[in-house]
mmCIF file of all heavy atoms in Angstrom:
data_model
loop_
_atom_site.group_PDB
_atom_site.id
_atom_site.type_symbol
_atom_site.label_atom_id
_atom_site.label_comp_id
_atom_site.label_asym_id
_atom_site.label_seq_id
_atom_site.Cartn_x
_atom_site.Cartn_y
_atom_site.Cartn_z
ATOM 1 N N GLY C 177 -26.074 -0.232 25.299
ATOM 2 C CA GLY C 177 -24.858 -0.780 25.924
ATOM 3 C C GLY C 177 -23.733 0.188 26.041
ATOM 4 O O GLY C 177 -23.863 1.289 26.587
ATOM 5 N N SER C 178 -22.592 -0.197 25.514
ATOM 6 C CA SER C 178 -21.338 0.562 25.752
ATOM 7 C C SER C 178 -21.301 1.837 24.901
ATOM 8 O O SER C 178 -22.138 2.076 24.016
ATOM 9 C CB SER C 178 -20.144 -0.310 25.396
ATOM 10 O OG SER C 178 -20.125 -0.576 24.017
ATOM 11 N N LEU C 179 -20.325 2.642 25.184
ATOM 12 C CA LEU C 179 -20.080 3.879 24.448
ATOM 13 C C LEU C 179 -19.972 3.589 22.932
ATOM 14 O O LEU C 179 -20.547 4.311 22.114
ATOM 15 C CB LEU C 179 -18.831 4.564 24.981
ATOM 16 C CG LEU C 179 -18.389 5.886 24.343
ATOM 17 C CD1 LEU C 179 -17.656 6.751 25.414
ATOM 18 C CD2 LEU C 179 -17.456 5.698 23.161
ATOM 19 N N THR C 180 -19.230 2.569 22.589
ATOM 20 C CA THR C 180 -18.994 2.303 21.156
ATOM 21 C C THR C 180 -20.248 1.863 20.428
ATOM 22 O O THR C 180 -20.487 2.209 19.299
ATOM 23 C CB THR C 180 -17.870 1.272 20.982
ATOM 24 O OG1 THR C 180 -18.165 0.123 21.765
ATOM 25 C CG2 THR C 180 -16.546 1.844 21.412
ATOM 26 N N SER C 181 -21.091 1.077 21.100
ATOM 27 C CA SER C 181 -22.344 0.635 20.457
ATOM 28 C C SER C 181 -23.304 1.824 20.283
ATOM 29 O O SER C 181 -24.006 1.921 19.301
ATOM 30 C CB SER C 181 -23.015 -0.492 21.256
ATOM 31 O OG SER C 181 -23.382 -0.097 22.526
ATOM 32 N N THR C 182 -23.282 2.715 21.256
ATOM 33 C CA THR C 182 -24.100 3.943 21.138
ATOM 34 C C THR C 182 -23.584 4.809 19.954
ATOM 35 O O THR C 182 -24.404 5.368 19.217
ATOM 36 C CB THR C 182 -24.049 4.753 22.448
ATOM 37 O OG1 THR C 182 -24.508 3.914 23.513
ATOM 38 C CG2 THR C 182 -24.948 5.989 22.360
ATOM 39 N N MET C 183 -22.273 4.913 19.843
ATOM 40 C CA MET C 183 -21.728 5.655 18.705
ATOM 41 C C MET C 183 -22.139 5.041 17.374
ATOM 42 O O MET C 183 -22.525 5.759 16.441
ATOM 43 C CB MET C 183 -20.192 5.640 18.785
ATOM 44 C CG MET C 183 -19.574 6.547 19.850
ATOM 45 S SD MET C 183 -17.777 6.380 19.865
ATOM 46 C CE MET C 183 -17.397 7.004 18.217
ATOM 47 N N LYS C 184 -22.051 3.736 17.288
ATOM 48 C CA LYS C 184 -22.355 3.066 16.046
ATOM 49 C C LYS C 184 -23.849 3.225 15.705
ATOM 50 O O LYS C 184 -24.201 3.454 14.510
ATOM 51 C CB LYS C 184 -22.030 1.579 16.126
ATOM 52 C CG LYS C 184 -20.552 1.294 16.177
ATOM 53 C CD LYS C 184 -20.269 -0.179 16.405
ATOM 54 C CE LYS C 184 -18.772 -0.473 16.528
ATOM 55 N NZ LYS C 184 -18.504 -1.869 16.807
ATOM 56 N N MET C 185 -24.708 3.156 16.727
ATOM 57 C CA MET C 185 -26.133 3.347 16.450
ATOM 58 C C MET C 185 -26.390 4.781 15.981
ATOM 59 O O MET C 185 -27.162 4.974 15.013
ATOM 60 C CB MET C 185 -26.906 3.094 17.745
ATOM 61 C CG MET C 185 -28.423 3.300 17.610
ATOM 62 S SD MET C 185 -29.272 3.395 19.189
ATOM 63 C CE MET C 185 -28.672 4.961 19.771
ATOM 64 N N ALA C 186 -25.759 5.761 16.607
ATOM 65 C CA ALA C 186 -25.949 7.151 16.216
ATOM 66 C C ALA C 186 -25.496 7.352 14.771
ATOM 67 O O ALA C 186 -26.162 8.057 13.988
ATOM 68 C CB ALA C 186 -25.188 8.083 17.125
ATOM 69 N N LYS C 187 -24.381 6.769 14.409
ATOM 70 C CA LYS C 187 -23.869 6.904 13.042
ATOM 71 C C LYS C 187 -24.847 6.266 12.029
ATOM 72 O O LYS C 187 -25.116 6.840 10.966
ATOM 73 C CB LYS C 187 -22.514 6.206 12.906
ATOM 74 C CG LYS C 187 -21.891 6.363 11.532
ATOM 75 C CD LYS C 187 -20.531 5.688 11.449
ATOM 76 C CE LYS C 187 -19.841 5.994 10.105
ATOM 77 N NZ LYS C 187 -20.682 5.592 8.939
ATOM 78 N N GLU C 188 -25.390 5.099 12.363
ATOM 79 C CA GLU C 188 -26.339 4.456 11.475
ATOM 80 C C GLU C 188 -27.591 5.292 11.294
ATOM 81 O O GLU C 188 -28.167 5.361 10.210
ATOM 82 C CB GLU C 188 -26.714 3.058 12.004
ATOM 83 C CG GLU C 188 -25.602 2.035 11.878
ATOM 84 C CD GLU C 188 -25.292 1.712 10.435
ATOM 85 O OE1 GLU C 188 -26.216 1.211 9.731
ATOM 86 O OE2 GLU C 188 -24.153 1.973 9.991
ATOM 87 N N PHE C 189 -28.042 5.947 12.351
ATOM 88 C CA PHE C 189 -29.194 6.834 12.262
ATOM 89 C C PHE C 189 -28.920 7.981 11.266
ATOM 90 O O PHE C 189 -29.771 8.307 10.440
ATOM 91 C CB PHE C 189 -29.549 7.401 13.651
ATOM 92 C CG PHE C 189 -30.522 6.575 14.427
ATOM 93 C CD1 PHE C 189 -30.252 6.128 15.693
ATOM 94 C CD2 PHE C 189 -31.774 6.237 13.856
ATOM 95 C CE1 PHE C 189 -31.147 5.371 16.422
ATOM 96 C CE2 PHE C 189 -32.691 5.471 14.591
ATOM 97 C CZ PHE C 189 -32.366 5.062 15.869
ATOM 98 N N VAL C 190 -27.760 8.616 11.408
ATOM 99 C CA VAL C 190 -27.417 9.695 10.525
ATOM 100 C C VAL C 190 -27.334 9.205 9.064
ATOM 101 O O VAL C 190 -27.882 9.857 8.140
ATOM 102 C CB VAL C 190 -26.075 10.374 10.917
ATOM 103 C CG1 VAL C 190 -25.628 11.406 9.903
ATOM 104 C CG2 VAL C 190 -26.241 11.029 12.300
ATOM 105 N N ASP C 191 -26.674 8.084 8.863
ATOM 106 C CA ASP C 191 -26.565 7.543 7.497
ATOM 107 C C ASP C 191 -27.938 7.188 6.912
ATOM 108 O O ASP C 191 -28.125 7.231 5.699
ATOM 109 C CB ASP C 191 -25.695 6.291 7.527
ATOM 110 C CG ASP C 191 -24.231 6.558 7.747
ATOM 111 O OD1 ASP C 191 -23.821 7.716 7.510
ATOM 112 O OD2 ASP C 191 -23.473 5.642 8.124
ATOM 113 N N ALA C 192 -28.900 6.851 7.812
ATOM 114 C CA ALA C 192 -30.233 6.481 7.352
ATOM 115 C C ALA C 192 -31.128 7.665 6.976
ATOM 116 O O ALA C 192 -32.142 7.475 6.320
ATOM 117 C CB ALA C 192 -30.933 5.660 8.432
ATOM 118 N N GLY C 193 -30.731 8.882 7.400
ATOM 119 C CA GLY C 193 -31.494 10.062 7.047
ATOM 120 C C GLY C 193 -32.430 10.571 8.137
ATOM 121 O O GLY C 193 -33.341 11.366 7.878
ATOM 122 N N VAL C 194 -32.188 10.153 9.367
ATOM 123 C CA VAL C 194 -33.027 10.583 10.472
ATOM 124 C C VAL C 194 -32.870 12.071 10.724
ATOM 125 O O VAL C 194 -31.801 12.656 10.454
ATOM 126 C CB VAL C 194 -32.720 9.793 11.744
ATOM 127 C CG1 VAL C 194 -31.472 10.338 12.476
ATOM 128 C CG2 VAL C 194 -33.897 9.759 12.726
ATOM 129 N N ALA C 195 -33.900 12.746 11.254
ATOM 130 C CA ALA C 195 -33.788 14.162 11.604
ATOM 131 C C ALA C 195 -33.486 14.368 13.087
ATOM 132 O O ALA C 195 -32.777 15.282 13.466
ATOM 133 C CB ALA C 195 -35.096 14.882 11.243
ATOM 134 N N MET C 196 -34.020 13.473 13.935
ATOM 135 C CA MET C 196 -33.806 13.579 15.375
ATOM 136 C C MET C 196 -33.940 12.241 16.008
ATOM 137 O O MET C 196 -34.823 11.446 15.571
ATOM 138 C CB MET C 196 -34.824 14.569 16.012
ATOM 139 C CG MET C 196 -34.737 14.722 17.504
ATOM 140 S SD MET C 196 -35.664 16.184 18.144
ATOM 141 C CE MET C 196 -37.372 15.594 17.940
ATOM 142 N N ILE C 197 -33.147 11.931 17.013
ATOM 143 C CA ILE C 197 -33.303 10.686 17.786
ATOM 144 C C ILE C 197 -33.423 11.082 19.251
ATOM 145 O O ILE C 197 -32.982 12.117 19.675
ATOM 146 C CB ILE C 197 -32.157 9.685 17.599
ATOM 147 C CG1 ILE C 197 -30.834 10.233 18.224
ATOM 148 C CG2 ILE C 197 -31.962 9.370 16.137
ATOM 149 C CD1 ILE C 197 -29.759 9.176 18.291
ATOM 150 N N HIS C 198 -34.088 10.207 20.017
ATOM 151 C CA HIS C 198 -34.105 10.447 21.469
ATOM 152 C C HIS C 198 -33.404 9.361 22.195
ATOM 153 O O HIS C 198 -33.392 8.150 21.801
ATOM 154 C CB HIS C 198 -35.543 10.632 21.976
ATOM 155 C CG HIS C 198 -36.445 9.455 21.881
ATOM 156 N ND1 HIS C 198 -36.359 8.370 22.710
ATOM 157 C CD2 HIS C 198 -37.532 9.213 21.038
ATOM 158 C CE1 HIS C 198 -37.342 7.508 22.422
ATOM 159 N NE2 HIS C 198 -38.035 7.984 21.376
ATOM 160 N N ILE C 199 -32.732 9.721 23.279
ATOM 161 C CA ILE C 199 -31.989 8.805 24.187
ATOM 162 C C ILE C 199 -32.569 8.989 25.572
ATOM 163 O O ILE C 199 -32.774 10.118 26.026
ATOM 164 C CB ILE C 199 -30.509 9.116 24.174
ATOM 165 C CG1 ILE C 199 -29.905 8.940 22.765
ATOM 166 C CG2 ILE C 199 -29.756 8.240 25.204
ATOM 167 C CD1 ILE C 199 -29.881 7.510 22.274
ATOM 168 N N ASP C 200 -32.825 7.880 26.258
ATOM 169 C CA ASP C 200 -33.461 7.976 27.583
ATOM 170 C C ASP C 200 -32.489 7.531 28.695
ATOM 171 O O ASP C 200 -31.337 7.166 28.418
ATOM 172 C CB ASP C 200 -34.767 7.181 27.608
ATOM 173 C CG ASP C 200 -34.561 5.665 27.411
ATOM 174 O OD1 ASP C 200 -33.636 5.083 28.006
ATOM 175 O OD2 ASP C 200 -35.347 5.090 26.636
ATOM 176 N N ASP C 201 -32.956 7.582 29.906
ATOM 177 C CA ASP C 201 -32.129 7.253 31.086
ATOM 178 C C ASP C 201 -32.570 5.967 31.754
ATOM 179 O O ASP C 201 -32.268 5.707 32.898
ATOM 180 C CB ASP C 201 -32.164 8.399 32.104
ATOM 181 C CG ASP C 201 -33.593 8.723 32.592
ATOM 182 O OD1 ASP C 201 -34.579 8.186 32.021
ATOM 183 O OD2 ASP C 201 -33.724 9.530 33.537
ATOM 184 N N LEU C 202 -33.211 5.068 30.981
ATOM 185 C CA LEU C 202 -33.595 3.766 31.528
ATOM 186 C C LEU C 202 -32.406 2.809 31.554
ATOM 187 O O LEU C 202 -31.472 2.919 30.791
ATOM 188 C CB LEU C 202 -34.708 3.149 30.671
ATOM 189 C CG LEU C 202 -36.091 3.807 30.800
ATOM 190 C CD1 LEU C 202 -37.029 3.219 29.737
ATOM 191 C CD2 LEU C 202 -36.654 3.629 32.191
ATOM 192 N N ALA C 203 -32.512 1.833 32.455
ATOM 193 C CA ALA C 203 -31.504 0.789 32.541
ATOM 194 C C ALA C 203 -31.758 -0.275 31.481
ATOM 195 O O ALA C 203 -32.874 -0.601 31.209
ATOM 196 C CB ALA C 203 -31.508 0.164 33.935
ATOM 197 N N ILE C 204 -30.689 -0.801 30.948
ATOM 198 C CA ILE C 204 -30.794 -1.830 29.893
ATOM 199 C C ILE C 204 -31.233 -3.128 30.518
ATOM 200 O O ILE C 204 -30.675 -3.607 31.512
ATOM 201 C CB ILE C 204 -29.476 -2.003 29.157
ATOM 202 C CG1 ILE C 204 -29.091 -0.694 28.445
ATOM 203 C CG2 ILE C 204 -29.516 -3.189 28.207
ATOM 204 C CD1 ILE C 204 -27.730 -0.709 27.844
ATOM 205 N N GLY C 205 -32.293 -3.762 29.910
ATOM 206 C CA GLY C 205 -32.696 -5.105 30.281
ATOM 207 C C GLY C 205 -33.421 -5.220 31.601
ATOM 208 O O GLY C 205 -33.492 -6.329 32.189
ATOM 209 N N MET C 206 -33.959 -4.157 32.153
ATOM 210 C CA MET C 206 -34.606 -4.217 33.454
ATOM 211 C C MET C 206 -36.069 -3.796 33.452
ATOM 212 O O MET C 206 -36.647 -3.506 34.476
ATOM 213 C CB MET C 206 -33.836 -3.392 34.491
ATOM 214 C CG MET C 206 -32.481 -3.951 34.869
ATOM 215 S SD MET C 206 -31.722 -3.131 36.271
ATOM 216 C CE MET C 206 -30.312 -4.211 36.560
ATOM 217 N N LYS C 207 -36.686 -3.792 32.276
ATOM 218 C CA LYS C 207 -38.118 -3.462 32.237
ATOM 219 C C LYS C 207 -38.919 -4.655 32.674
ATOM 220 O O LYS C 207 -38.670 -5.793 32.244
ATOM 221 C CB LYS C 207 -38.526 -3.093 30.802
ATOM 222 C CG LYS C 207 -38.039 -1.712 30.334
ATOM 223 C CD LYS C 207 -38.620 -1.403 28.977
ATOM 224 C CE LYS C 207 -38.198 0.001 28.490
ATOM 225 N NZ LYS C 207 -38.755 0.303 27.173
ATOM 226 N N LYS C 208 -39.907 -4.399 33.531
ATOM 227 C CA LYS C 208 -40.875 -5.464 33.932
ATOM 228 C C LYS C 208 -42.265 -4.873 33.798
ATOM 229 O O LYS C 208 -42.474 -3.682 33.998
ATOM 230 C CB LYS C 208 -40.597 -5.920 35.376
ATOM 231 C CG LYS C 208 -39.272 -6.649 35.556
ATOM 232 C CD LYS C 208 -39.110 -7.172 36.946
ATOM 233 C CE LYS C 208 -37.764 -7.916 37.059
ATOM 234 N NZ LYS C 208 -37.578 -8.474 38.431
ATOM 235 N N PHE C 209 -43.246 -5.699 33.446
ATOM 236 C CA PHE C 209 -44.550 -5.199 33.006
ATOM 237 C C PHE C 209 -45.712 -5.700 33.841
ATOM 238 O O PHE C 209 -46.752 -5.069 33.866
ATOM 239 C CB PHE C 209 -44.771 -5.517 31.566
ATOM 240 C CG PHE C 209 -43.676 -5.034 30.639
ATOM 241 C CD1 PHE C 209 -42.668 -5.868 30.251
ATOM 242 C CD2 PHE C 209 -43.676 -3.706 30.220
ATOM 243 C CE1 PHE C 209 -41.645 -5.424 29.401
ATOM 244 C CE2 PHE C 209 -42.666 -3.233 29.387
ATOM 245 C CZ PHE C 209 -41.652 -4.106 28.991
ATOM 246 N N THR C 210 -45.569 -6.825 34.544
ATOM 247 C CA THR C 210 -46.772 -7.411 35.154
ATOM 248 C C THR C 210 -46.573 -7.741 36.645
ATOM 249 O O THR C 210 -47.454 -8.391 37.230
ATOM 250 C CB THR C 210 -47.153 -8.734 34.439
ATOM 251 O OG1 THR C 210 -46.110 -9.687 34.577
ATOM 252 C CG2 THR C 210 -47.420 -8.455 32.976
#
Side-chain angles (χ1 to χ4, degrees):
S178 67
L179 180 149
T180 52
S181 61
T182 302
M183 287 178 62
K184 291 175 182 177
M185 180 194 69
K187 184 179 186 304
E188 288 294 297
F189 270 126
V190 173
D191 288 342
V194 81
M196 178 167 71
I197 69 170
H198 65 75
I199 299 292
D200 63 46
D201 58 352
L202 288 172
I204 295 172
M206 289 190 173
K207 287 185 178 180
K208 294 185 178 180
F209 304 97
T210 64

